[in-house]
Structure formats: C-alpha cells, structure tokens
Amino acid sequence: MASAENSLSSSGQLSTDVLVIGGGIMGLWGAVKAADAGLSVILVDAGEVGGSASGGLLGALFPWMPDRWDEKKQYQFDALVSLPGEIARLERETGLNANFRRAGRIVPLPRPHLRDIALRHQRDAETNWHQGAHRFHWHVRDGEPEPAYIDPTACAAGYVLDTLAARVEPRALIAVLKAWLMRRANVRIIEHARLERLDAGRGRAEFSMAHPPLSLRDISPTRGESRPLGASHLPSSSPESGRDVAPSILSPCGGDVRQDRGGYAADGAITITFSHTLIAAGATSFPILQSRMPPLPKPLGQGVKGQAALLKADLDPGLPVVFLDGVYVVPHEGGFAAIGSTSENHYDDPFSTDHHLDAVIEKARALFPALRDAEVIERWAGVRPKAIGRDPLVGPLPSNPNVIALTGGFKISFGMAHRLADSALDHVLGRSTAPLPENFTLSGQMAREIKP
C-alpha cells in the first residue's frame, strides 16, 4: 500500500491506496472505513456527493421480517443495531446531526388474516431480534395507536409496533459523512468527474471533469446543524428555516475552495493511480463491473426509479414510521413528513415526478389524516440500484481482485452501508471482520441468478 496521504506522483498523476468511485451512501461509508483504517482515499463522483439516489427524502430503516431467520437477516439485524453508534461517533467529531431516531414502525392490520401472520412474526422476533442487551419486538396490539393519528379503518384487526425500525434524514447523514471525510488529511474528494477508463491491471483510472478541476480537500464546512429536510428552497440563515443551516452538499463551484491543480491536466482530465478501487456508483456501477466480466446472458443489475414527496405538517417527530401496502409515511424533525415511494422498472425520465407519485400521496393522506391538508413542499425522483439477485452486491471481481463492488443496496442501503463497507474493506486489508452472506457476494449472486 502507499502512504496514508494522497500524493502527487512524479508523472503528475494523483496516487492513492483506495479509489472510491461514487459518492452516495455506499461510497461515503466505504471512504470513511478506508480512512479509519489509515489508508489514503480519493472519492470521485460524477456529479455532487449525495446528489443522486442517496439524496432522497424517506430515510426509513426497516428490518426484514423476523421469520425464516438466516445469515442474511442476521447480517442486516447486526447492521441496524450498530448503526446509531457509528453515526453518533461521526456526529461528535463533526458537530453535525444526522437526525437518527429509533422511532419504530407502525404496520396497520386492516384484515384478520394479517393479524394471524403478525402474531407468528411476534413469536419469531422474540427468538431472533436480540443481541446482548439489545432486544427488539414485533408487538401485535388491538385497536389503533395512541395518539390516534392513523385512519382507524386501516387498523380494523389491530396494528404492529416494530421497535427495531428507525429513520434518519438522508441529506443530513450525507452531510455528516462528507464533513467527516473533509476533515481527514488522508482523504480527497473530487466532484463532477466522470469515469472514462478503468485499467485495473495497471491500477489506473481516467476521469473527465465537467467543471474546472478543483480539490475539495481544503474546504472547511460550517460547523453546526446540517440542512434540515425541506430547507432546499430556503437560503442559509433564512428566518423561515428557524435556524442557521450549513449547506448539506458542497460543490467545487461554491464555498471556501482553494484551487489545487496538482494531478489535473489543463484540458480538465484527471488520472488517478490506485491499489484498490471500490465501485460504489449506484446503478451505473453495474455496467462498470459487467464490462470487466465475461459476457453475461442478462444485466448484472438495473436502476429502479423511485418517487417521493416531502410535506409540511405539525407532527411529533418521535412518531413511528407508518407502512402499509408499499406506502411509507416518515415523520422527521421540524414538522416534516416524507412519503413514498414508487418502484418503477420502466420509465422515460429518471428525475421527473408524475401521476405515480400523486397516487402515493393520496394513499398517504388517506392513511395519515394529519397530512390531508399538508402542503407538498418538494417532489423528488431518483434511481436506486437493484442488483441481479435483489440483494447488495459486494466483493472483488474474479478477474480483477483489486476492483471491489460496493453497490446494489436498493431500498436498504442506508441501514446497511456502514457494515457492507466493512466487508468491502476486508478484501482490501485481508481480514474477516464482517463476513458476508453468500447472497450478498458478487460470486454468490452470479452463481444463483445466472445458470449455465
């Protein structure tokens, strides 16, 4: 490995131990874990860090059902239990707040047969949802939750209170992760740089710059609370926001930036040499990885469009997340509620919102009466990465073991990315601290999904 500081080689190229391609939730945690291990890190994003699917609205952190327990469910359970401690450390070191809350989840039971299923899950949770002093429950209860904030007809057979579920504010967590990385001398962040060529054998990647090439290593982000949900339409320190806010996404075109053209060609190209690279570029990870594999009969993964909305309502932020029939209602700090989401395999415009979101909003208003007259202050769409086997896709390419996949989290990335990053770093450091379930590995998904 190289030294734990990014360096400029004699040829004018940037050199690093770990090159992270993609600055979403997976890539950011991958960079944090690599930097924590003392490695030098360069994180490169084609746009702005957290500006794609990870910059959404929901932030619901749901466990899989407690029945039919296996190593995959255990891995996710361990990740959800450890996440608040991981976030708290970064919050202490940055002075920012990711607005994590173990709020729990309400699942209304509109029909009697659903109650029977829930009672079986309640027993399964008693058996499986515990780790040391941590014990969580899948309580089945009569009537409707107190206070009465859910349509009572949805709770005709009672409701479930899941005490393991949590929520986090996605943009605030992205801001915490980015701020922590930007305080590390062994980390460099480059935005608006698109991958053009990846030569794994030589450990060399070439990027083209969409903007004048600036290094973000020397930005000093403002300390204090991160930008709240719903504040994207408000200027910093706006009286309407109720508090001073730091920008949650910094770009090379703004902020207190010192130009650093070391390693950048005059034409806006950049070359980085590396020992290992983590491919964490969301849905665009799949073609990057697949181009370095033998021909496959079907794609390694795909992007699935999701639409969500943010509403302003006078809600208690401590209320549990509500989930029914694919619709999420996620109370957040400051009187906001995020609702969603769609799952669209076919779409024309990945970033537009349309009648699909309108239908979700209507269902959420019917389920959650306090939102019936709430103002919609943001409509959002983005594309989430779904791997060929639906599970996260982590691990080295067989032909290029220094190229490591860290993608495919789909709807569960925020609850597991920190632990998946540990597993990815195991391959870099030759350790085994977070062994992966076979279904989460690149080789495992290929063997299961692509038959000879």
Side-chain angles (χ1 to χ4, degrees), residues 311 327-329 338-340 358-372:
L311 279 62
V327 175
Y328 300 76
V329 179
I339 64 174
D358 295 336
V360 173
I361 293 172
E362 282 304 305
K363 288 181 180 179
R365 290 190 193 277
L367 177 63
F368 210 109
L371 298 180
R372 285 177 182 166

Side-chain angles (χ1 to χ4, degrees), residues 111-182:
R111 292 176 292 280
H113 79 279
L114 296 176
R115 183 182 180 89
D116 294 336
I117 295 170
L119 286 169
R120 293 199 298 270
H121 288 160
Q122 179 175 267
R123 294 189 291 270
D124 293 326
E126 290 298 319
T127 301
N128 299 316
W129 278 8
H130 57 85
Q131 182 196 89
H134 300 284
R135 181 170 288 276
F136 302 93
H137 303 277
W138 181 269
H139 293 300
V140 179
R141 294 182 172 168
D142 297 323
E144 56 186 291
E146 292 292 340
Y149 64 98
I150 296 175
D151 177 15
T153 64
C155 301
Y159 67 96
V160 169
L161 173 60
D162 156 18
T163 65
L164 176 55
R167 56 90 168 154
V168 70
E169 187 178 311
R171 294 168 187 174
L173 178 54
I174 292 293
V176 170
L177 291 162
K178 184 173 181 179
W180 187 91
L181 289 168
M182 289 164 57

